[in-house]
Amino acid sequence: MVLVEIDSKAHPNGVNGVKTPFKSAAFHRDLGHEFQKLTRSDGNFVTLEDGRRIFDASGGPSVGAIGWGNRRVIQAVTKQMMDTAYCASLYYTTQVHEDLCQHLVDSTNGEMARAYVVNSGSEATEAAVKLARQYFLELNPPQPQRTRFINRRQSYHGTTLGALSVSGHSYRRANFEPLLLKNVSSVSPCFEFRGRGASESPSEYVERLAKELDDEFQEQGPENVCAFIAEPVVGAALGCVPSVRGYFQAMQAVCHKYGALLILDEVMCGMGRTGTLHAWQQEGVVPDIQTIGKALGGGYQPVAGVLASRRVVNVIQRGSSAFVHGHTYQGHPAGCAAALEVQRIIREENLLQNVRSQGALLEKLLKELLGGHPNVGNIRGRGLFWGIEFVADKETLRAFPSDEHVSLQIAELGLGEKYQIGVYPGAGSVNGLEGDHIILSPAFNVTSDEIQWIASNVERLVNDFFAGRIGA
């Protein structure tokens, strides 16, 4: 997207200090900016109405898994819509829905028992939270006192009120705090770059975080906690931060100690993005409940989902056998068709191996080209999911003031004629407000030549941006 100030020369502050909206009937994310129209998407490129071809090096917000314009996916969706466009899930199912759910369960080597298909990551989080609550209501004997959740600061699990309630992103929560659930508390993220002490070993850091979670259980009353929710690799809120080895095993041990569930949010980091189909497959744990999205359908249809373990499913099945939750468009046939075809392509073309090999190349090049830059504080990630955090001072790791919007400016500069590259900006990695980063998460079928182009172009973009700041 390209953001352009409204008639800033004629009306620098708009009319009476209020920005004048463009003539659009759409309630855009910012009513004071004009959004360039996309006219075409093909391969790794999106084309703007002015003719610019932007290399989509982030897949939007890490959505694009196989690039754009894939004929197989388009044909699968079209055929499904011709056959059955909609399914009222209260009465019916479809074969494509059943096939997708079976594919997802099989992809976990049988560790997860059932899949629940919705339309967005926020919907998936809502379902996961409600499923965790219902699990404890249907235990024998039931545990109705379990109403509390523990999240991590600087986390993001969705934009609806329930999903935002279990998120720890200060900026996104701020306007809505009075409306959010009060039964959620927070612990520190596993963020080695800013969280681990200089004299602290990785294992000591994990031990400290496990004790913090244990202490939080004690503070809330361990018998009152439903679940601990976390992202295996933190996405937009921190910028591709993986956990320290052994962290999730330690966190799950605390949950098991007190009978609580572990919910892993893989909406952004899952479905192959980090090199395995499920990010938890690299962590030595199996979650009780898992959310998925984004790369699930690769952007071809709105689709996300929840995977439930045998532990959870067996309790519901032995109890009421009915999940008290539902959406008009859950299990939507077109969404299922898109997701199933995208996942088949990933498997048939061995794209997870490409994610691992090209991800290793991207890591190597980024660290070689930008690791020594005075305003690059940290380069971190896994697979094809990499974040670059920017700092005002490399010695103290001081962040730029939040009102300077450094990451957004870099992303906007990247869309210009000189670079024509799309990166995903984020902020809040220090305290939820300050801390700028960009995310690089290209399609799983990206080539070595394209990875080299991405790395060199991002180096040029970052160098030029900060050189321009010095000269300003």
Side-chain angles (χ1 to χ4, degrees), residues 365-385:
L365 293 174
L366 289 177
K367 289 181 176 179
E368 286 177 356
L369 297 173
L370 285 170
H373 192 285
N375 296 112
V376 172
N378 189 231
I379 299 170
R380 68 287 187 122
R382 189 181 289 168
L384 283 174
F385 196 45

Side-chain angles (χ1 to χ4, degrees), residues 168-212:
H169 198 290
S170 302
Y171 175 76
R172 289 173 175 173
R173 289 175 59 97
N175 287 349
F176 310 103
E177 284 286 356
L179 306 179
L180 301 182
L181 300 173
K182 307 305 178 189
N183 58 333
V184 182
S185 59
S186 303
V187 294
S188 300
C190 184
F191 188 9
E192 190 172 18
F193 172 58
R194 291 191 176 274
R196 181 162 71 90
S199 61
E200 193 174 34
S201 70
S203 61
E204 289 171 335
Y205 181 44
V206 168
E207 185 178 346
R208 174 163 62 85
L209 293 176
K211 183 180 185 305
E212 182 184 353

Side-chain angles (χ1 to χ4, degrees), residues 427-459:
S429 53
V430 176
N431 54 20
L433 297 174
E434 294 179 323
D436 289 276
H437 59 264
I438 59 171
I439 290 176
L440 299 171
S441 48
F444 298 180
N445 50 11
V446 67
T447 67
S448 297
D449 287 345
E450 289 168 333
I451 288 291
Q452 291 170 0
W453 182 88
I454 290 170
S456 62
N457 213 27
V458 169
E459 178 200 20

Side-chain angles (χ1 to χ4, degrees), residues 45 53-57 362 365-366 369-370 388 410 413-423 438 440 449-465:
F45 290 88
R53 274 171 58 81
I54 307 297
F55 189 96
D56 191 359
L362 182 59
L365 293 174
L366 289 177
L369 297 173
L370 285 170
I388 304 172
I410 291 173
L413 181 63
L415 297 177
E417 290 282 356
K418 186 176 179 180
Y419 313 99
Q420 298 191 84
I421 186 170
V423 301
I438 59 171
L440 299 171
D449 287 345
E450 289 168 333
I451 288 291
Q452 291 170 0
W453 182 88
I454 290 170
S456 62
N457 213 27
V458 169
E459 178 200 20
R460 197 161 52 97
L461 171 63
V462 170
N463 285 337
D464 290 353
F465 175 80

Side-chain angles (χ1 to χ4, degrees), residues 305-346:
V306 177
L307 288 167
S309 67
R310 296 189 181 282
R311 172 188 179 185
V312 171
V313 170
N314 287 344
V315 166
I316 302 297
Q317 200 159 20
R318 286 195 299 261
S320 68
S321 82
F323 182 25
V324 189
H325 182 69
H327 290 279
T328 298
Y329 290 105
Q330 74 181 66
H332 192 275
C336 291
L340 185 59
E341 199 64 25
V342 167
Q343 294 308 308
R344 284 172 172 165
I345 289 169
I346 290 172

